[in-house]
Amino acid sequence: MDYSQFPNKQVLCVDMKSFYASCSAVMRGLDPLACYLVVASDTNRQGSVVLAASPKMKKEFGIKTGSRLFEIPNDPRIIITEPQMNMYLRISTEITKLFNRYVPTEAIHTYSVDESFIQVDGSSEIWGDAFLIAEKIKQEIEREFQLPCAVGIGPNMLLSKLCLDLEAKQKGVAAWTYEDVEKKLWPLSPLSKMWGIGRQLERTLNRMGIFTVGQLAAFDLAALEAKFGIMGNQLYYHAWGVDLSDIGAPIMQGQVSFGKSQILFRDYRDREEIKHVILEMCEEVARRARSRHKAGRTISFGIGYSKEEFGGGFYRTKTRPEPTNITMDLYETCLELFHEHDTGKAVRKITISIGNIVSDENCQLSLFEPDKWKKQAIGYTVDYIRRKHGHTALLRAVSYTPAGTARHRATLTGGHKA
């Protein structure tokens, strides 16, 4: 691979270690790296999900994000607290302002509440090279906020993120170049450790005889494109450490989708109640697509059954003839998948997403659906009213039933207590 033809930027990927837990520890006057603290979504429910755990909780007790409250041992050193989302968001905003001391706003991409990309090209004459800037940022965050962080450095967003995940989180600050790809990235296995490759994609690649990133880089590009389309092209070049994304653009263009995953407050056994929640979630997924003036053809629907009934579940997709961002279209497809694959056990998690995205301006009218444009217009009107008057200004009747979750979730920030 001739890397001279690809961008060679100076990109930092800054990750706040156990951000929620670290913030909660500092607010209690504790050292985030020395205390035993867990942030759980609801301390009154033993089945509540752990949102964050301090590094010592992870290392000594094996408690991490996704663990359950009942898994936490009865130890007097352990502090269990509920999230304070508004406080976390305020701190995240202040950290972004700190980045602004080194680079302009357009050089910062807030990837999540606890992770950001910063392009420092052009700042070296003032602050020094990328490694020195990373060290300064890390030290300032620790001094001003008492929060630990790690920084990965790379010639593009992808390699800075991989450097963060695979090296900097152990060292504090680390840097990769294109020359490091063969030695540090190619031996990586399983493939799901590679940013942008999930478990399902990993299984597909394994069936093709691909088990390491090096094998992916050596695979025939035409065969990958034939199998995965544009994503196959991206997988190939990402295995070589090549990424053409600009700051602020999605790194895996082929993976752009709109979705929502919800862990329910209780086990839902009544199938009609489950349908009520599915309709609420379809409404939200459709709204997210409309907010970007997008529509999609492929609907993905997943169910996770209660651990009380030994867990399990399913995740299926269905592609519609025409792209849509209309709530009832999504709902109709989700119900088809639900009726086809449901085993009747109590439901605890629902996942819905819409992919195969296009601009909704490309949606064609159909002779069989002459009122489709009206349905789309109604969706945008409802979105406008909710933006202006609040999310609960207009709700479907199902939200006022005992099964509905929308009214309660409207009081939350990021799905958790503010």
Side-chain angles (χ1 to χ4, degrees), residues 258 284-295 325 360 379-380 383 387:
F258 301 91
E284 175 61 16
V285 172
R287 183 200 65 78
R288 293 179 183 182
R290 290 192 297 264
S291 71
R292 300 285 294 276
H293 291 277
K294 300 293 185 181
N325 55 19
D360 66 0
Y380 279 107
D383 295 342
R387 283 196 307 272

Side-chain angles (χ1 to χ4, degrees), residues 114-354:
D114 62 347
E115 197 167 312
S116 298
F117 291 96
I118 311 169
Q119 188 171 331
V120 297
D121 298 70
S123 299
S124 58
E125 293 185 8
I126 303 173
W127 303 108
D129 62 21
F131 200 94
L132 185 57
I133 294 174
E135 288 281 7
K136 286 179 179 291
I137 288 175
K138 184 175 184 296
Q139 291 168 8
E140 287 196 23
I141 291 174
E142 291 174 351
R143 182 175 65 251
E144 296 183 22
F145 300 96
Q146 292 80 55
L147 296 173
C149 72
V151 187
I153 307 168
N156 54 50
M157 291 175 70
L158 173 73
L159 280 185
S160 68
K161 171 64 174 171
L162 290 170
C163 174
L164 169 76
D165 290 342
L166 302 176
E167 186 172 347
K169 286 185 177 180
Q170 287 74 46
K171 294 184 175 180
V173 177
W176 281 14
T177 66
Y178 286 122
E179 286 68 35
D180 292 312
V181 169
E182 183 174 351
K183 180 177 65 176
K184 296 184 177 181
L185 181 59
W186 282 6
L188 188 64
S189 182
L191 289 169
S192 54
K193 289 184 178 180
M194 170 87 169
W195 190 40
I197 298 181
R199 296 284 186 183
Q200 186 173 352
L201 180 55
E202 178 190 46
R203 288 193 291 270
T204 302
L205 291 170
N206 289 167
R207 288 194 291 269
M208 297 168 65
I210 303 171
F211 294 91
T212 68
V213 177
Q215 289 174 333
L216 180 59
F219 207 80
D220 181 60
L221 173 58
L224 288 172
E225 290 177 331
K227 177 69 175 179
F228 300 106
I230 188 173
M231 191 186 296
N233 181 282
Q234 291 173 332
L235 285 169
Y236 176 81
Y237 281 100
H238 282 194
W240 284 89
V242 174
D243 171 34
L244 303 180
S245 301
D246 293 321
I247 290 288
I251 291 180
M252 288 291 282
Q253 296 284 352
Q255 290 186 330
V256 172
S257 62
F258 301 91
K260 180 178 177 65
S261 183
Q262 182 173 323
I263 297 176
L264 305 177
F265 299 119
R266 58 179 172 85
D267 290 350
Y268 278 59
R269 290 182 169 79
D270 187 304
R271 284 15 235 172
E272 289 303 314
E273 285 195 334
I274 296 168
K275 292 177 185 177
H276 291 173
V277 181
I278 293 173
L279 179 54
E280 286 184 327
M281 293 180 64
C282 286
E283 183 102 306
E284 175 61 16
V285 172
R287 183 200 65 78
R288 293 179 183 182
R290 290 192 297 264
S291 71
R292 300 285 294 276
H293 291 277
K294 300 293 185 181
R297 292 180 59 220
T298 301
I299 314 300
S300 300
F301 177 74
I303 287 289
Y305 293 119
S306 169
K307 288 187 176 181
E308 297 291 327
E309 300 188 20
F310 305 104
F314 64 87
Y315 188 82
R316 297 291 186 274
T317 62
K318 182 171 183 177
T319 300
R320 297 176 59 89
E322 296 291 339
T324 186
N325 55 19
I326 297 170
T327 297
M328 296 311 292
D329 288 350
L330 271 64
Y331 181 59
E332 175 186 292
T333 303
C334 288
L335 284 190
E336 289 179 14
L337 294 170
F338 183 51
H339 290 148
E340 184 176 351
H341 301 286
D342 179 38
T343 61
K345 295 196 291 186
V347 172
R348 197 55 183 260
K349 181 180 180 181
I350 302 175
T351 302
I352 298 171
S353 67
I354 179 173

